[in-house]
Amino acid sequence: MPRTLIEPFRIKSVEPIRMTTRAEREACLENAHLNVFKLRAEDVLIDWLTDSGTGAMSSKQWAAIMEGDESYAGARSYFRLEAVVRDITGMTNFIPTHQGRAAERLLFGAVCKSGDLVPNNSHFDTTRANLEKLDVEAVDLVIAEGRQPSLSHPFKGNIDLARVEALLIAQGARIPFGMLTVTNNTGGGQPVSMANIRAYAALLKRYGKPLIMDVCRFSENAMFIKMREPEYANTPIKAIVQEMFSYADGATMSSKKDGMVNMGGFIVLRDDRWVETLRNDLVLTEGFPTYGGLAGRDLEALAVGLEEGMQEDYLRYRLRTAEYLGEKLDAAGIGFVKPTGGHAVYIDARSVLPAMPQQHYPAWALCNALYLEGGIRGVEVGSVMFGKRLADGTETYHNMELVRLAFPRRMYTQAHFDYAAEVMADLKQHAGAVRGVRIVKQPRLLRHFTCEMAWA
Ligand code: F0G
């Protein structure tokens, strides 16, 4: 048997990408105030800023788009998608939204009150922000192994059940529900095991609390379960997914990930208690309950995408791409969060720039260098993203300096990954030439998106 795991598709439609010269990239980055978020996408060769909403749709999805029923109320496309979602999740209440954070805002708005507390393995930024906006405390309780980048563990996304129970005992009255993010994006795209999901749900149930899952990457999580949890080795992905959902009372979804579409999200709920409030709020800000901020064609593409995202040959290839890049980084002596996650590789900038002081933002510097060197765009997950400037003008720093390279689905081929690995190995050789940065201008919140930098 040949050992190379090939892309399980052929390409029907192509989109050119443009190689720029080093001089052009220098000018582009200067114009962007040394912040890759401010680059024009067409000046980027390989865009690994995010896997969210950036993937390629299949010919079946494009065909489904023509079937979109754009009726304001009761559209056929809604009922088609609802049937698919019900089959996968086993939940009767389906509420479409325009993306994941809208689902979060609606659900939290209906269920949480000021002073509440929500445990999770790790809250994604928007999840945390939507809770904190309501004065709800968002507590991250991932297992200790999940916080050590170089340590390998099959399920680094697992939630620490002992710490959850301690919180339920001490602060139970403040907890409206428990959350669990699959895969754990903030912790490196790491999976949660079925055993952990099952035990967490049972624990919450003993204390009368529902489990709400953040299921953006549920298919990737299911594939990890199949590969790493022995009793599931012969279980079909869809059955694993259905079992994962069977432990939850509800879920929020960003369809821009494992939904395989460019825009969309939803809420599902097993029982009816919050549904009326949610649908009323939905009409106010998203749209009528049968489209929730989306076009009929979006609902059709998602109905097909959800099923395609669960195909095993696709998932095997998907997880292999990240692992493959990891092997090449290892060979070049570049550190990263281990094992590689489902949708991304998180490079440890300190392994490339060990001498750069933290006040020169090494992960940001590496991000810029990847663009200058090879036209590759990633995201800093370090002290610009998580540090703060205090009132007295001093800066706080993050404990890790990572660069996330997140892979759009079905979009880049093995040659793109080989190219990126070469760029990184070259960079490591010439690390002395990589320049640090300082912040010249920053907003108060979420500064990484819009801050302006200068060379340190
Ligand atoms: N939950 C998780 C775990 C996410 O990764 C995201 C988005 C959201 C919720 C919000 O969904 O973008 O549709 O509103 N993550 C993207 C990323 C933005 O780049 O990781 P959304």
Side-chain angles (χ1 to χ4, degrees), residues 117 119 160-178 198-211 249 273:
L117 180 159
D160 187 331
L161 297 169
R163 293 179 68 201
V164 174
E165 182 148 30
L167 207 57
L168 283 163
I169 291 167
Q171 311 266 7
R174 293 175 64 201
I175 301 177
F177 51 79
R198 194 185 301 125
Y200 181 44
L203 174 62
L204 289 171
K205 199 168 184 177
R206 280 208 299 285
Y207 288 83
K209 310 291 181 190
L211 168 59
D249 300 284
R273 67 189 130 157

Side-chain angles (χ1 to χ4, degrees), residues 268-337:
V268 279
L269 290 168
R270 195 170 295 287
D271 70 27
D272 299 341
R273 67 189 130 157
W274 300 322
V275 173
E276 201 181 314
T277 317
L278 280 171
R279 291 225 164 99
N280 289 339
D281 288 352
L282 187 78
V283 176
L284 227 55
T285 56
E286 289 284 292
F288 191 75
T290 59
Y291 73 83
L294 295 168
R297 54 180 170 271
D298 297 328
L299 305 175
E300 292 282 342
L302 178 57
V304 177
L306 284 168
E307 297 280 0
E308 287 183 353
M310 290 188 293
Q311 283 167 8
E312 190 175 323
D313 58 351
Y314 153 72
L315 284 168
R316 208 172 277 286
Y317 135 82
R318 168 83 177 150
L319 303 190
R320 176 64 191 143
T321 50
E323 186 186 51
Y324 177 78
L325 184 61
E327 286 166 9
K328 299 221 157 204
L329 293 178
D330 250 342
I334 297 170
F336 55 93
V337 176

Side-chain angles (χ1 to χ4, degrees), residues 33 79 112 150-151 205 271 294 340 388 400 407 419 427:
H33 300 279
F79 293 105
C112 300
S150 59
L151 191 128
K205 199 168 184 177
D271 70 27
L294 295 168
T340 47
K388 278 194 180 79
M400 285 192 273
F407 313 124
Y419 167 88
L427 253 181

Side-chain angles (χ1 to χ4, degrees), residues 49-52 99-102 104 124 126-127 181 183 185 214 216-217 254-257 264 343 404:
L49 190 77
T50 177
D51 66 318
S52 180
Q99 63 181 93
R101 65 200 69 183
E104 293 164 358
F124 180 67
T126 60
T127 324
T181 308
T183 58
N185 182 9
D214 174 343
C216 301
R217 299 178 180 86
S254 166
S255 309
K256 303 169 73 168
K257 285 83 169 173
H343 67 294
R404 181 183 85 165

